[in-house]
Amino acid sequence: MTSVVPSPTPAVADELSEHVREALDSAIADLVTGALTWTHLTLDQRARLLERLHATVSAHAEEWADTAALSKGLEPGHPLRGEEWLSGPYAALVALDAYRDSLRALACGISPLDGVRTDAAPGGRLRAHTFPLHAMDGLLLSGYTGEVWFEPGVTVHEARRTAGLAQLEPTEPGGVGLVLGAGNVTSIPVLDVLYELLAHNRVVILKVNPTQDSLVAVYERALAPLIEPGFLRIVQGGGEAGGYLTAHPDIAHVHITGAAPTFDAIVWGPSTGPQAEATARRKREHHPHLTKPITAELGGVSPIIVVPGTWTEADLRYHAEHVVTMRLQNSGHNCIAGQVVILGSDWPQRAAFLAALDAAYDAAPARPVWYPRSAQKLDAAASSYPSASRHGDGSRLLVEIDTGQDATDLETTEYFAPVLGVVSLPGNGQEFLDAAVRHANEKLTGTLGANVLIDPETQTALGDRFEDAIAALRYGDIAVNSWTAFAFLTPTLTWGGFPGGTLDDVESGIGVVHNALLLDRVERSVTRGPFRPFPRSAGALGRRGRFSVLPKPPWFVSSRTGATVSEGFTRYRMDGNLARLAGTLVQAYRA
């Protein structure tokens, strides 16, 4: 059903020049025509279109990564430039491959879920083991696995029958969708465009965030196979352009990646200024300003639950670097950056872990804190917690909450900056884990991602109760001895907040994205990684734990060869050159 939406308000329209309004209207008109063309493409033609996109993205991958790195102040030779290869063209390429495979299966009358192992998860849930699905994935990311958990009650038959979403009825038009792109990670707008097209049959107008204006020309070249037939238009502008587009009568749906306050402003109106009173009235009366459907992927305060166990010195150092990576990757400007470490106050190794964390936080390579208003966020955290310690060049804040100290600001403010906090809870084993899960669910804002670090001996001792604790975490993506960013980068997993977000209380969003198997009624995705990297993972052979041939992962901020390996992994996804990949793997062992 098509919603009746208001015309742009005079205030918004007046702030845009006639030329800009005409350009936006023209872009939408092109897409209205393109939507008709899209519905006439067969599944096989859509799969071939994705192959063309793979070629054009590959052709511009180096330019994409370089432009993104420079926009964030990472000059040539900087050890963290590999982040922009992995979170940019790499993420787009693996998604294109996964969507293509799903389309090919559907074109042959096969469910994308056929051949994927399924079993039972706690609480009457079905679980599909969706990573790795190919041998090379298992080699490059050795020891890492991923699962999609469906809502309670979904059967194997239903999951397989409904896999495909809008591609089960490819001739059914979805209209024109608006994607309001994220400003922090360069693959997000591209992945959101693909999901609109393939999960919903919606052609897309993408308004990039102003922080990514330098990428627009790259996007236009890389995504030319979508732009030429009228399936995609890319536009620029600030909040005024976004407001005009969300209210446009030919926009059928809005998707945003961003923050909850931005979502609320779109749905209800400004919370400050002359329109604040009208906004408050609309909320009271439940009459949203936006009267068309909206989905969203929003951030939150992500926990890192460290389950007490008996760790070696190497374990303490490795996972301290793991935690620091969760906070400092992209300078902390990530919606799933780990922000609150939950430690056991009774853990005998608590002080040793904190010492390792302190050292790793200092030692991570220096880089700009580049996202707008980050300095204010850091100042706010320092004001709330005067005892916090400065690390690195002074732009990293470590907040250890003492007994009796108020942790509210730390646990409810998504700082989106290099602010890492530590809170402590009593207990060991299951008692601690259950308390930590309750604390994360009840005290921390958001439901997007949660991380759990646990040694294999402790996990084995907990048995099925550990899986029950994972089921109790109300998060859309959960990482066990991994980082939730792994779920973000894995297209056969889903990405989004835990189900239950509403217009009134959006939490970490509504709906999911990525999801290249096009699965319906998904509740969460769970990733699992090796507690110990190679060669220490060899101890898992024939015993407890996960074996991995992967040494320090290239996404660790402490990896000495992370930039080289990340670029090499991306180039392999571009052309499948095994000889060059061998050299990349040699570099991986020098991390």
Side-chain angles (χ1 to χ4, degrees):
M1 183 176 69
T2 302
S3 300
V4 178
V5 300
S7 299
T9 63
V12 171
D14 289 346
E15 290 171 358
L16 292 175
S17 69
E18 182 178 353
H19 173 72
V20 171
R21 293 198 303 273
E22 288 178 351
L24 295 177
D25 289 344
S26 176
I28 294 172
D30 290 344
L31 291 166
V32 170
T33 302
L36 297 176
T37 305
W38 178 256
T39 61
H40 285 85
L41 293 188
T42 66
L43 293 174
D44 185 62
Q45 287 172 324
R46 294 177 185 188
R48 291 202 299 271
L49 175 62
L50 296 189
E51 290 179 348
R52 287 184 56 207
L53 274 169
H54 189 283
T56 53
V57 169
S58 297
H60 299 286
E62 184 171 350
E63 180 189 15
W64 181 339
D66 285 346
T67 303
L70 289 173
S71 75
K72 298 178 181 183
L74 301 178
E75 299 294 334
H78 195 284
L80 298 179
R81 281 174 68 93
E83 291 180 1
E84 299 311 313
W85 281 92
L86 284 183
S87 65
Y90 176 92
L93 289 167
V94 293
L96 288 168
D97 286 344
Y99 281 122
R100 178 205 60 205
D101 290 347
S102 291
L103 289 174
R104 285 177 174 172
L106 290 164
C108 296
I110 300 170
S111 169
L113 203 55
D114 281 359
V116 176
R117 182 170 65 91
T118 60
D119 60 11
R125 295 173 174 89
L126 175 71
R127 169 171 53 194
H129 297 263
T130 60
F131 183 88
L133 295 181
H134 304 287
M136 189 55 71
D137 290 332
L139 172 64
L140 295 182
L141 298 165
S142 173
Y144 287 83
T145 60
E147 312 148 12
V148 173
W149 291 25
F150 293 87
E151 296 173 356
V154 175
T155 65
V156 174
H157 174 74
E158 179 185 354
R160 289 181 176 160
R161 177 178 56 81
T162 58
L165 297 178
Q167 299 311 300
L168 295 173
E169 297 182 27
T171 61
E172 187 69 26
V176 179
L178 167 65
V179 168
L180 299 172
N184 59 327
V185 174
T186 61
S187 65
I188 292 177
V190 176
L191 297 176
D192 289 349
V193 165
L194 293 175
Y195 199 65
E196 286 290 292
L197 274 171
L198 297 167
H200 303 292
N201 274 338
R202 282 194 285 264
V203 296
V204 180
I205 184 165
L206 165 64
K207 192 198 81 66
V208 298
N209 188 291
T211 62
Q212 294 193 356
D213 281 348
S214 62
L215 269 295
V216 169
V218 181
Y219 288 152
E220 289 175 338
R221 290 188 283 273
L223 303 179
L226 295 180
I227 295 172
E228 291 163 359
F231 303 151
L232 171 66
R233 289 292 181 267
I234 302 174
V235 299
Q236 298 171 252
E240 298 84 2
Y244 183 82
L245 290 168
T246 58
H248 198 286
D250 288 332
I251 295 294
H253 181 275
V254 177
H255 177 79
I256 176 175
T257 297
T262 305
F263 175 92
D264 287 343
I266 292 170
V267 172
W268 302 104
S271 59
T272 59
Q275 298 183 52
E277 184 177 342
T279 297
R281 184 178 67 253
R282 279 192 293 270
K283 293 196 79 170
R284 286 194 306 269
E285 298 173 355
H286 196 73
H287 288 143
H289 175 71
L290 184 74
T291 56
K292 61 185 70 176
I294 183 170
T295 53
E297 185 269 290
L298 310 173
V301 176
S302 292
I304 307 168
I305 298 172
V306 181
V307 182
T310 303
W311 294 14
T312 67
E313 289 295 322
D315 295 337
L316 293 168
R317 288 194 303 271
Y318 177 79
H319 285 293
E321 294 176 17
H322 200 172
V323 169
V324 167
T325 295
M326 296 180 197
R327 179 69 267 182
L328 293 184
Q329 201 271 354
N330 199 25
S331 204
H333 311 314
N334 288 331
C335 55
I336 38 83
Q339 182 165 306
V340 175
V341 181
I342 302 178
L343 285 183
S345 58
D346 301 324
W347 186 26
Q349 294 181 289
R350 179 181 181 279
F353 180 77
L354 285 174
L357 183 64
D358 194 80
Y361 209 40
D362 262 329
R367 63 169 300 163
V369 179
W370 62 271
Y371 204 78
R373 295 184 293 279
S374 292
Q376 294 94 311
K377 297 286 186 69
L378 284 164
D379 289 344
S383 176
S384 296
Y385 301 101
S387 62
S389 56
R390 296 272 184 174
H391 287 258
D393 61 357
S395 66
R396 304 167 192 168
L397 211 62
L398 183 61
V399 180
E400 185 178 347
I401 300 296
D402 295 325
T403 303
Q405 190 175 12
D406 186 3
T408 300
D409 287 352
L410 176 69
E411 295 180 333
T412 60
T413 304
E414 182 191 7
Y415 286 113
F416 217 67
V419 179
L420 181 65
V422 179
V423 300
S424 298
L425 301 175
N428 283 297
Q430 193 70 43
E431 177 190 7
F432 168 82
L433 180 57
D434 290 344
V437 167
R438 285 194 302 272
H439 191 92
N441 286 343
E442 297 170 7
K443 299 294 186 180
L444 273 59
T445 291
T447 63
L448 183 58
N451 310 275
V452 181
L453 304 179
I454 183 169
D455 66 89
E457 293 76 18
T458 300
Q459 184 174 340
T460 299
L462 296 180
D464 291 342
R465 293 176 298 170
F466 177 75
E467 290 300 304
D468 292 338
I470 296 300
L473 273 168
R474 294 180 55 82
Y475 287 82
D477 290 272
I478 299 170
V480 180
N481 293 331
S482 175
W483 175 29
T484 47
F486 186 84
F488 172 89
L489 285 174
T490 303
T492 51
L493 299 174
T494 57
W495 186 249
F498 194 79
T502 65
L503 295 184
D504 296 288
D505 183 12
V506 70
E507 297 184 318
S508 285
I510 298 171
V512 299
V513 289
H514 305 184
N515 187 24
L517 296 178
L518 301 172
L519 305 176
D520 197 16
R521 294 189 61 191
V522 168
E523 183 184 67
R524 73 184 83 196
S525 289
V526 179
T527 68
R528 303 175 196 262
F531 181 75
R532 297 181 176 100
F534 187 84
R536 292 189 299 116
S537 64
L541 290 171
R543 303 208 306 270
R544 301 184 182 95
R546 284 174 170 246
F547 174 71
S548 173
V549 300
L550 191 68
K552 186 180 293 185
W555 56 84
F556 269 41
V557 294
S558 54
S559 172
R560 291 180 296 181
T561 59
T564 300
V565 174
S566 297
E567 178 180 346
F569 277 9
T570 308
R571 291 192 182 278
Y572 173 74
R573 297 297 184 182
M574 292 160 57
D575 59 19
N577 187 318
L578 288 172
R580 188 168 57 208
L581 177 63
T584 297
L585 294 177
V586 170
Q587 291 297 314
Y589 282 92
R590 297 181 56 247

